[in-house]
Amino acid sequence: MALKLPADYVLGTHTAEGDRLALQHSLWIDEARAAWNQCGIRKGSRVVDVGCGPGLATVALLEAVGETGTVSGIEISARFAQQARARCEAAGRSDCEILQCDLMTDSMPPHFRHAFDAVWMRWVAMFVRDPKKLISQLSDLLAPNGVVALHEYYAYDAYSLLGGGARVREFVQFAMASFAKEGGDASIARELPQMLVDQGFEVVSMRPIARAARPHEPLWHWPAGFIRTYSPTLVKLGYADEQWLAAIEAELRAAEANPASVLIAPSVLEIIARKR
Ligand SMILES: C[S@@+](CC[C@H](N)C(=O)[O-])C[C@H]1O[C@@H](n2cnc3c(N)ncnc32)[C@H](O)[C@@H]1O
């Protein structure tokens, strides 16, 4: 029987997941900054990082908005919210408010309503059971003409080991099923443009981001690292067993021993939309 894990959300907030998010952030910060430039985040902007996790992008946003701007965060996990606060304080900014709340059930406090020029959101919509509700929360946070910049996957099933990788294929199917079981949708970006338009946003720009990694490249450790971090959870959830865990590790090691191997990452869609 499948187990229910004690976690704020399906990926958990344990140390290995925190480390994975940090590696992921280091490999995606240039793409995030490109989105921030594109949507007009600049010195003096008031930005909220929705689903900020342990505050990795939150702190990078502080640099972008400078001393005259503000960055806030919203996060369901008490552990991640505390880590985000600590990161902002270590960056010399004790004025960052990290609100711990569930975007699915909690209303925004009055001082967060219509208070921001920009929302940044990365890999959050894929985990929520009601993305329309999430979009309405984003709208509530934004001042008139405010912008949302987001990175979410539109083709999670692109995630694969080129030319083979049967266990990796299974991993991707199991991972998608585990997100869906909690009400999420790994490829939610397919639905977001319509949802944004339906809720009064104008889509300003879209950019698909597809990435491929070879074993000697730092990027390899992002798709391979997620397989290694999340596979034990899939076993605990009942999607696979210990034998499968050993088999997927063997498949990854064999791929890493072959310089011609290519891991395709799940494809991201950047969406920038303006509240009318
Ligand atoms: C994959 S992590 C991404 C974290 C961060 N955005 C980043 O790019 O590093 C997804 C984050 O969304 C948060 N989250 C998921 N569901 C949420 C909800 N209903 N309300 C608030 N935060 C949520 C999780 O706790 C987690 O920190």
Side-chain angles (χ1 to χ4, degrees):
M1 196 178 80
L3 296 172
K4 177 87 180 108
L5 293 177
D8 300 292
Y9 83 125
V10 66
L11 299 192
T13 59
H14 48 87
T15 306
E17 173 59 9
D19 293 347
R20 187 193 72 79
L21 288 177
L23 172 82
Q24 172 173 263
H25 176 73
S26 71
L27 295 164
W28 277 88
I29 181 63
D30 291 348
E31 300 292 357
R33 288 204 175 104
W36 302 344
N37 284 334
Q38 172 72 15
C39 78
I41 291 174
R42 61 174 77 87
K43 301 289 177 212
S45 295
R46 300 164 300 167
V47 184
V48 57
D49 184 358
V50 167
C52 65
L56 299 151
T58 323
V59 169
L61 278 163
L62 278 171
E63 267 173 52
V65 305
E67 290 190 357
T68 54
T70 62
V71 181
S72 303
I74 298 176
E75 171 55 44
I76 193 172
S77 153
R79 180 177 158 93
F80 276 171
Q82 189 45 43
Q83 290 174 1
R85 282 182 205 112
R87 271 202 168 82
C88 293
E89 275 170 28
R93 293 290 295 256
S94 50
D95 60 324
C96 298
E97 182 173 353
I98 309 295
L99 181 70
Q100 192 209 333
C101 76
D102 183 346
L103 288 151
M104 291 295 94
T105 53
D106 298 323
S107 306
M108 293 302 109
H111 67 293
F112 267 48
R113 298 194 64 205
H114 313 303
F116 298 98
D117 305 309
V119 163
W120 166 242
M121 185 174 75
R122 181 173 65 175
W123 299 312
V124 179
M126 63 184 287
F127 296 112
V128 301
R129 63 181 175 280
D130 186 352
K132 290 182 182 163
K133 163 89 181 168
L134 180 63
I135 304 290
S136 86
Q137 296 276 40
L138 304 188
S139 178
D140 216 24
L141 289 162
L142 285 170
N145 289 317
V147 287
V148 48
L150 62 87
H151 283 174
E152 296 281 346
Y153 300 119
Y154 70 94
Y156 199 84
D157 53 0
Y159 197 172
S160 56
L161 194 52
L162 275 194
R167 298 291 86 77
V168 170
R169 256 198 311 278
E170 284 166 0
F171 169 85
V172 172
Q173 294 308 316
F174 295 158
M176 289 169 68
S178 71
F179 304 159
K181 185 149 192 296
E182 297 298 312
D185 175 353
S187 299
I188 189 62
R190 292 176 195 188
E191 314 293 335
L192 294 177
Q194 187 67 58
M195 287 182 191
L196 284 159
V197 168
D198 288 348
Q199 295 199 45
F201 284 84
E202 175 195 2
V203 174
V204 175
S205 70
M206 277 195 263
R207 179 170 71 105
I209 312 171
R211 302 183 75 178
R214 292 175 296 155
H216 65 279
E217 294 172 333
L219 184 63
W220 177 272
H221 299 290
W222 176 53
F226 183 60
I227 293 169
R228 288 190 162 112
T229 314
Y230 196 53
S231 289
T233 303
L234 289 173
V235 172
K236 286 194 191 113
L237 290 171
Y239 290 95
D241 58 18
E242 294 292 334
Q243 216 181 342
W244 180 87
L245 202 55
I248 194 160
E249 179 58 29
E251 190 172 281
L252 279 180
R253 281 179 190 240
E256 282 161 356
N258 177 1
S261 295
V262 180
L263 253 179
I264 302 288
S267 312
V268 166
L269 188 62
E270 173 181 297
I271 304 176
I272 295 178
R274 184 174 299 282
K275 180 173 158 175
R276 285 176 195 267

